[in-house]
Structures are given as structure tokens and as C-alpha cells.
Amino acid sequence: MALLQISEPGLSTAPHQHRLAVGIDLGTTNSLVATVRSGLAVVLDDEAGRSLLPSVVRYHPDGKVDVGYTAQSAQNADPHNTVVSVKRFMGRGIADIDDIASLPYRFVDAPGMVQLKTAAGVKSPVEVSAEILRVLRQRAEAAMGGELVGAVITVPAYFDDAQRQATKDAAQLAGLNVLRLLNEPTAAAIAYGLDNGSEGVYAVYDLGGGTFDISILKLSKGVFEVLATNGDSALGGDDFDQRIFCWMLEQGRFAPLSAGDARLLLTKARDAKEALTEHTEVRVTAVLSTGEMMDATLTQAEFNKMTASLVSKTLAPTRKALRDAGLSADEVKGVVMVGGSTRMPCIRQAVADFFKQTPLTNLDPDKVVALGAATQADVLAGNRGGEDWLLLDVIPLSLGLETMGGLTEKVIPRNTTIPTARAQDFTTFKDGQTAMSVHVLQGERELAADCRSLARFELRGIPPMVAGAARIRVTFQVDADGLLSVSAREQSSGVEASVQVKPSYGLGDEEITRMLKDAFTHAKGDMYARALNEQIVDAQGLIAATRAALAEDGALLNAEETAAIEASIADLEKLLAGTDHQAIKRGVEALNAATTEFAQRRMDQNVRRAMAGQKLETFG
Amino acid sequence: MDLTRNHFELFGLPAAYALDRDRLDTAYRELQAAVHPDRFAAKPESEQRVAMQWATQVNEAYQTLRHPVNRGVYLLSLQGIDALHAGNTRMAPAFLMQQMEWREAIDEARAGKSVAALDALTDDLRATHRRIEAQLGDLIDRAHDFEAATEAVRQLRFMDKLIAEVGDVYEELES
């Protein structure tokens, strides 16, 4: 792949300069951070040598926040203020949460995303997740001795746009530069080193604490191409705990439970489930705060029976993914198991039966995603040369619009390779109609009401015409993170409107700003100093990269164009001597704008080189 | 971005229905390797934006060419023909009859909850799909009969819909 080296000259990275980048697995139950050291992906441990960070956040009345093991140990004693499995609430409204009655939280039904009332105030799941990410960022910066240039954050492949956007917002809130949102099964595929000479079709079966993904990937010549993905973003190990919890209620015949007792039983349920991985039966005992007791034995056979419907709930998406990929189970060369829940013998057996082969379990299912994310972060940060692989991922759920009669019109079908863009033309329904409401949806169902509502916006100022005469082109663009933006334009008048798909399920920029302020009042860092510092680093990087590009491809510009870019660099350098971070930000934007045409010419050159190489290869 | 280049030129392929799939796949991978946003994550924003536009275009071109219906529609559009125009409904009666029979077969398989019947139907539909594809290639590449090709493209699209409907019934029977 020598041609890749030509097109990827490692512009801004001097050989001695290793850019610090991490991969973060923000899990339902546990989270991890990993990085690449001397070419090897490693998980970073805390001071006590523990690699997992329980995804548990406890809020104290004075605003102090505990994250991880400390918070976890308080969950029974302080259930209202100790948030576990917050990932299940990301980008979700109250109506989306099935088992709301058995959860000990005080939910607040906020528009778009549910919020939680804690001793330290009302918190959004984005803020709770940001607390976890912040601890991981600090752990990484301490271990690596410097500021991170960026992070790859993993998300379940089946996460919809609202859940992805919420995750990206959380990272931003935690002060992380997101290099990419990466799908968990795809990260696992990288970590398995399936690129090492492996060719063919692989399935990644990823059952975590709260989410299930199945991805079918084709590997060939250093390219990981996701053919299809499916899953259930509300199915995971927690549901298995819930089944044992219900069994315990039957066994104990308890009076209505307090929040603390409910949490105690859920914790016991999880312990029992984990014990059944190694043993054929487990004794389950509990003493509640009321003095009520239970003492019973749960066998693996009983457990398998009570969870059989959950196991089969993972096989239906598996069949769909295979069908979307146009493949049958026997065409799959290997099955990779990911996620702590795949330790359960009933899961391993079901997967082995379905694919008629023993699944691959040689990497720690808890760590494999973080390791893959770290490896990809290393590539994206520009720390590698030409031996990189390429990931071609897809969107998990169709994107569309609501049309007359409350129906869904699909604009981009599921399993479309990203980045992608599609336009669809619509027209007016009434004579003289001057506005049109655009309702953006995600999902496979025919009725708009059954799909997830991502955003609504209005295109106004359409010139009055007879019904059906206007031509309104709605364009969907999905970027490499799988995030959607939508714009609408009336073709004859040029009237335009667009949205970053955030308002209805994500957070507005103002809300993010408020949260950032809140976060910094409790943190040691000075917000202004940090913002300035980040802006300076950003600007210096941009100047270095632009200079390197000029040195390499200056021939693509005429003297005048070169002078304009150099003037823009000089302006920015002047601003860097000062301390106005807003001005520096504007200078960065100006330099970016000044180099747009140059970037396009460089890319054209890349393409010509790639195609020249292609023809050489083809014709010898 | 050079938008004047058509999808075939982009991949260095002849503008024909007959497709060297290996060559298309190889060219697609080489191109994505050069333009994909992952290659520019550490680069200035202007380069990231151009990368996204290019990668989007390369994906669109690839999906168009590798898909039998889309490739046909695209080739006809290069001839100035809108093959999927709503007013264009001409369809041979024999094909329409055959269609009705297939739909009945789908309904029967659903009612009888017969996966075996669905499997047989799928084989039948796929075989017909391949036959129409071959015809279409002949009409476009050799006979240059674009009117007949337009009808073949629309038949092929019907076949895709039927195959998708069978998929839905599989899902129904599995759940």
C-alpha cells in the first residue's frame, strides 16, 4: 500500500512528536480508557491498578461528585443520588424507559431527554456521563504526562442519532476533543487484529450491560467494511439481572420495597448472575432494611429458562443483519464475542448453535472495545505511517422525513456506508403555502409516530405558488461520526433553512455552555485559561499544518493565492501573542476559510494519484 | 471537487452495464483510502470538510454502480432518460401476470407460515432477477435499445421490491 504513504505525508507531525490520543469505552456498567504505547494498545489503570471504572456517579449535597468504585459502594445507601447505568438514559425520554418503576431515581421529564433530580441539583444524563469521561481523561493525562489531542469514544452501533449526539456532547463537556465516535463492534474487530492477514466475513456479537449490537464485517486488504449492523439499544446484562430480581421478589414475598432495598436486591441479582457463569447453582440470600429475609437457591438451568426470551431477543437482530448483508450464517468465517454479558454460558451456547462454530473469546470481552478504540485513535491522531487500515462503517437505522398523513419517507436507508448525503424533493400541499415544516425521523416503521423524532424545523418565506409547484429539496448529510445534519432549500427562490440535528433530543449550545460553567465552578481549572490554552494549541497546530501543506504542495497555488494564505497565517500569529481567545478563534476560522480552495486542490491531487496507482495495479 | 466527472470516470471504468466488480471494489477502496475523513482527523478543518464531501461522493458513486437497478438508472440518465419517472408505467402484461402470481405465493407462504416456501420463492425471484440483469446489459451495451432498457430497469426494481417483501415475511415468521 505504498500509495497511501504518498497521499498521507504526515504533515504536522514531526517524527519525535507523538500526539497523545486515547480510546474510551463509555460503557453501561464499566468504562475504560486505553492508549497505544510503543505500538501496543494498553488499558490505563487507576492508582490502585484497576482498569475498569464502574460507570457510577454519586452526587453529594455540597456539589462534590464521586465516580467509580467509591460511588458504587454507596449505591445501596444513597440510591437516589447515585446514578448507575446512565448510558441507558442518553438521548432518551421518559416514555423510552421501560422499567422506570423499578429504578430508584427521581426522574424529571425534560423536553427531549430525561433528567435526574439529585442532591446536587437536576442533572442531565449528558452531565452524568461527562463526570465519568472527566475522570478517565484525568487518568490518561496523569499516566501519559500531557494534554490529550483527542479521543475516540465508542458507542453501540445501534445507537441512533440522539444517543450519538448526547455522547458527543458529554465528551465535549468533559473537555475532550472527539476525534471520532466509533461503533463498539467495529472497535472490537480492530482489536482482534482481524486485519492481520484475515480475509472474509466476520460477525461481532456485542452484549454489554445495557445494549446489544450485532455487526457483520467484510475484511479485505486492510479495509474493514461493515456490511450490516443491527441490535437493540435497550437490551443487555441489566435485563438478565432484572429477571433474577423478579425471581427474588417471588421467593421473598416482600412488602413494597424502599429504593435502597430495591438497589440491594439488584446488586444481589447481579452477583448471582456472575456466580452462575462459573457454578451450576448459587445460593441467594438477602436481609432487607425492614428485617424481611430471603434465602433460596438458583440453578443455572432455572436461570437459563427465565432468560431464554432475552437470549432469543438477540438472535432476531442477528438474523436481520445477516439478511441485510445478503449472507447466511454458514458464510461467516468467525464470530467475535464482546461485552461482559457474553461470559454467560447460555449466551455462548446460543451463539455457537446459531453460527455452528465456537465463538472467539480469547480477548477480554471487557477490554476489547477500549483497545480497538485506542488503536483507531492512534491512527486518527496521525501517529502512524502508511500501514493504516480503513474503516467503512454504516448508519444503523434509516433516516427520513414525515410526509402528509403522518407517514415516514425514508431518505437514507439503514446500513448505508457513511459519510453519505441524499437529497429528496418535496412540494407544497396547498395553494399559496409559504412555509413548510420539516420533521426529521429515524427508524424503520411506516408511521412517523412509531419512529424516533430527531428534529423539527421550518422553512419559511417560500414564494406563494399553486399547490405542487414549489420544489423543496431536503438534503441529509451524515458525517463520519454517524451524525446527521439536514438542510432544506426552495429551488426557485433559493430560500434556505438548516439544522444540526440537535434540538429535540440533544442539547442546545446554550445548555452546553451552562453545563460547562457549572462544571468549572466545581473544578480547579480556570475556564478562561483553559479555553485560551486550547485555542492556542489549536491555532499553532493549524499554522504548522498549513505551512507543511504549503511546503509540500505550494505548486498548486499561484503567487497571489499563496500570499493570501501567508497573510492569514501572519494575522493569526499576531493574535497568538495576545490573550483574546475569541479573537484567536476567529483567526483560526479565517485561516481555515482561506485554505478551503487549497484543500480541495490537494484532495484532487490525492485522488489523481490514487487512481493512477489503481490503473497500474490493474494493468500491471 | 470535480463534479463534472461521472461515476464511471471517477473509478476509471468504462461506462457500460457489464461491470468488472473486482475492479470497481479495488478502485473504491483505493479512492476511499485517499479521501476518507479518517485520513484527515488530525488535519485542518478545511481539509476535513473537503474529505467528507469527497468520501460522500465516492460512496454515492460506488453504491450507484454496484447496485444493478441504480447502475441501469444511472446509465440511462447519462442518455437523458429518467427511467423511474412517475408517468412512465409501461410494463409487459406477461410480467404483470407473473408479478401477481408471485405476490399470491408470498401471501400463501405467510398464511402457511412456511419458511420452505419462502426459500423456494427466494430462489425463483433471484433467478429471474439475474435473467433480467443479463437482458438489461445486452439492451444497454450491445443493442443500445434504451426504451426497452428502461422497461427492464423498472422490472428489476419490481423484483427488488418483491425480494424485500419476502424479507419482511421472514422477519414476521421469526418474531
Side-chain angles (χ1 to χ4, degrees):
Chain A
M1 300 269 267
L3 286 162
L4 296 190
Q5 284 171 326
I6 296 172
S7 62
E8 180 65 21
L11 290 182
S12 56
T13 316
H16 62 278
Q17 197 184 358
H18 184 82
R19 295 157 59 94
L20 303 182
V22 295
I24 292 179
D25 175 2
L26 181 61
T28 307
T29 316
N30 294 299
S31 297
L32 299 93
V33 59
T35 192
V36 172
R37 270 186 187 149
S38 320
L40 211 67
V42 287
V43 171
L44 299 172
D45 295 345
D46 66 7
E47 321 82 72
R50 299 172 296 204
S51 51
L52 300 182
L53 177 72
S55 303
V56 184
V57 179
R58 181 186 184 196
Y59 289 94
H60 293 269
D62 61 358
K64 191 173 151 283
V65 180
D66 294 331
V67 179
Y69 288 101
T70 329
Q72 193 176 41
S73 63
Q75 61 176 340
N76 298 344
D78 188 16
H80 297 307
N81 303 309
T82 309
V83 188
V84 302
S85 301
V86 68
K87 188 173 177 178
R88 301 176 53 209
F89 311 138
M90 292 289 271
R92 287 288 165 264
I94 254 179
D96 298 319
I97 303 162
D98 292 339
D99 55 343
I100 208 150
S102 67
L103 292 168
Y105 310 117
R106 292 166 294 190
F107 287 102
V108 180
D109 193 3
M113 204 186 312
V114 67
Q115 302 196 328
L116 305 163
K117 197 180 276 178
T118 75
V122 173
K123 299 290 171 187
S124 147
V126 169
E127 287 172 279
V128 180
S129 299
E131 295 294 349
I132 299 165
L133 290 170
R134 201 171 284 127
V135 169
L136 294 173
R137 191 192 94 211
Q138 285 157 357
R139 181 189 290 188
E141 288 180 344
M144 297 160 74
E147 271 199 35
L148 303 178
V149 299
V152 167
I153 317 275
T154 61
V155 289
Y158 212 58
F159 255 20
D160 64 26
D161 193 83
Q163 293 166 303
R164 282 169 200 269
Q165 189 62 59
T167 306
K168 200 171 179 183
D169 288 345
Q172 190 190 341
L173 199 53
L176 286 165
N177 171 37
V178 179
L179 293 168
R180 186 71 73 236
L181 294 180
L182 178 62
N183 289 330
E184 288 162 9
T186 313
I190 300 172
Y192 253 86
L194 299 179
D195 57 329
N196 294 332
S198 302
E199 302 262 311
V201 174
Y202 285 79
V204 180
Y205 180 103
D206 180 355
L207 187 63
T211 57
F212 171 66
D213 283 334
I214 179 82
S215 284
I216 313 294
L217 293 100
K218 186 171 129 196
L219 310 185
S220 49
K221 301 183 186 97
V223 179
F224 290 66
E225 188 181 359
V226 180
L227 299 177
T229 196
N230 212 300
D232 188 333
S233 62
L235 174 66
D238 285 2
D239 298 291
F240 290 75
D241 300 349
Q242 194 70 34
R243 293 284 161 97
I244 299 181
F245 174 82
C246 292
W247 171 84
M248 290 168 84
L249 293 184
E250 279 168 27
Q251 299 294 315
R253 302 175 182 284
F254 303 120
L257 298 176
S258 70
D261 284 337
R263 180 48 70 197
L264 171 79
L265 292 184
L266 276 170
T267 309
K268 293 264 180 193
R270 180 188 295 179
D271 293 344
K273 176 188 73 179
E274 286 171 3
L276 285 174
T277 297
E278 305 273 323
H279 304 99
T280 51
E281 59 175 55
V282 58
R283 186 170 162 203
V284 184
T285 61
V287 182
L288 304 188
S289 59
T290 56
E292 292 170 281
M293 292 168 57
M294 71 155 289
D295 184 350
T297 298
L298 180 62
T299 67
Q300 208 176 67
E302 281 173 285
F303 174 69
N304 290 352
K305 204 172 146 203
M306 70 175 78
T307 58
S309 64
L310 295 175
V311 175
S312 65
K313 255 177 107 173
T314 70
L315 296 180
T318 305
R319 273 189 284 265
K320 277 188 206 167
L322 276 173
R323 196 158 40 239
D324 283 352
L327 295 166
S328 58
D330 54 15
E331 290 171 276
V332 173
K333 199 170 153 190
V335 186
V336 175
M337 297 294 257
V338 185
S341 301
T342 59
R343 289 202 177 87
M344 286 187 274
C346 56
I347 294 290
R348 290 193 178 181
Q349 192 56 50
V351 172
D353 290 347
F354 183 86
F355 287 101
K356 299 188 179 64
Q357 59 181 293
T358 310
L360 302 164
T361 53
N362 48 311
L363 277 184
D364 184 340
D366 283 326
K367 293 183 181 168
V368 59
V369 167
L371 294 172
T375 314
Q376 186 65 6
D378 198 42
V379 170
L380 296 181
N383 288 332
R384 286 183 182 239
E387 88 275 29
D388 330 358
W389 49 87
L390 185 67
L391 299 186
L392 297 169
D393 222 313
V394 300
I395 54 161
L397 292 152
S398 302
L399 293 161
L401 289 170
E402 178 173 347
T403 59
M404 287 300 298
L407 297 178
T408 313
E409 170 75 21
K410 282 180 191 167
V411 178
I412 303 183
R414 69 170 186 261
N415 293 321
T416 298
T417 309
I418 53 173
T420 186
R422 275 307 138 79
Q424 186 108 357
D425 287 348
F426 293 87
T427 190
T428 43
F429 173 66
K430 279 191 212 151
D431 287 345
Q433 187 176 337
T434 58
M436 188 171 146
S437 143
V438 178
H439 187 195
V440 184
L441 303 164
Q442 187 160 29
E444 309 309 319
R445 306 283 294 276
E446 274 175 42
L447 291 180
D450 295 332
C451 289
R452 179 155 300 277
S453 165
L454 293 179
R456 286 175 193 271
F457 69 103
E458 281 189 356
L459 179 67
R460 296 188 166 276
I462 301 170
M465 288 178 244
V466 291
R471 278 287 164 272
I472 293 130
R473 175 156 297 176
V474 180
T475 306
F476 280 44
Q477 169 83 57
V478 182
D479 67 17
D481 290 326
L483 293 173
L484 172 69
S485 51
V486 181
S487 60
R489 184 186 156 91
E490 203 286 306
Q491 298 292 86
S492 61
S493 61
V495 171
E496 239 173 301
S498 67
V499 282
Q500 280 282 327
V501 177
K502 288 178 98 175
S504 66
Y505 270 82
L507 298 166
D509 283 339
E510 292 148 44
E511 206 168 348
I512 291 274
T513 310
R514 175 192 62 77
M515 288 179 187
L516 270 173
K517 279 194 187 130
D518 284 1
F520 279 101
T521 38
H522 297 299
K524 285 184 205 122
D526 172 0
M527 180 162 119
Y528 188 84
R530 189 174 173 99
L532 177 64
N533 188 29
E534 276 174 9
Q535 208 51 257
I536 289 174
V537 171
D538 210 29
Q540 286 168 339
L542 179 63
I543 291 171
T546 308
R547 286 229 167 93
L550 283 171
E552 196 191 9
D553 288 324
L556 297 172
L557 299 169
N558 64 31
E560 200 182 320
E561 290 163 336
T562 309
I565 293 176
E566 272 168 0
S568 198
I569 292 178
D571 288 347
L572 183 54
E573 279 181 326
K574 241 176 270 161
L575 293 169
L576 280 176
T579 56
D580 183 349
H581 83 265
Q582 290 295 348
I584 297 172
K585 192 177 175 197
R586 282 193 295 275
V588 165
E589 281 163 11
L591 180 52
N592 265 319
T595 56
T596 297
E597 175 62 27
F598 185 34
Q600 275 166 2
R601 286 185 208 166
R602 274 163 57 78
M603 189 64 95
D604 283 339
Q605 177 174 275
N606 273 353
V607 169
R608 276 196 301 278
R609 283 177 182 161
M611 291 318 289
Q614 211 275 310
K615 274 168 204 149
L616 281 177
E617 243 172 55
T618 311
F619 301 117
Chain B
M1 198 184 334
D2 182 5
L3 292 166
T4 56
R5 209 167 356 198
N6 78 37
H7 294 343
F8 291 98
E9 287 162 359
L10 184 64
F11 293 115
L13 293 167
Y17 192 79
L19 184 72
D20 181 341
R21 184 58 199 268
D22 284 347
R23 244 181 98 184
L24 173 66
D25 286 357
T26 308
Y28 169 65
R29 287 195 208 105
E30 293 287 343
L31 263 181
Q32 276 299 13
V35 304
H36 195 275
D38 282 358
R39 300 280 186 233
F40 299 86
K43 297 288 161 65
E45 204 193 303
S46 54
E47 296 196 23
Q48 291 182 22
R49 221 171 15 231
V50 174
M52 185 176 80
Q53 289 164 354
W54 260 99
T56 296
Q57 175 72 9
V58 171
N59 275 333
E60 168 71 20
Y62 178 63
Q63 294 307 331
T64 303
L65 296 196
R66 85 168 175 178
H67 191 276
V69 172
N70 297 346
R71 185 167 72 253
V73 170
Y74 185 70
L75 275 165
L76 290 168
S77 79
L78 294 179
Q79 297 294 332
I81 298 165
D82 181 358
L84 302 181
H85 189 267
N88 197 345
T89 54
R90 203 170 75 93
M91 191 68 79
F95 184 77
L96 288 175
M97 280 299 290
Q98 174 71 68
Q99 266 231 326
M100 280 165 60
E101 281 165 28
W102 275 319
R103 278 194 202 285
E104 277 166 24
I106 294 176
D107 288 342
E108 272 169 36
R110 178 190 279 126
K113 297 192 195 314
S114 167
V115 172
L118 284 179
D119 288 345
L121 193 55
T122 304
D123 288 345
D124 192 9
L125 293 174
R126 290 211 174 127
T128 309
H129 197 284
R130 279 193 296 274
R131 188 173 50 74
I132 302 174
E133 260 186 75
Q135 272 173 11
L136 180 56
D138 209 52
L139 288 168
I140 292 179
D141 295 345
R142 268 181 284 279
H144 305 294
D145 183 347
F146 301 122
E147 199 178 325
T150 299
E151 188 174 336
V153 161
R154 288 171 38 248
Q155 287 185 353
L156 212 48
R157 202 162 74 124
F158 268 113
M159 298 308 299
D160 278 353
K161 280 189 186 155
L162 282 173
I163 291 168
E165 277 173 39
V166 172
D168 291 343
V169 181
Y170 272 114
E171 263 170 46
E172 227 180 274
L173 297 190
E174 278 158 11
S175 61

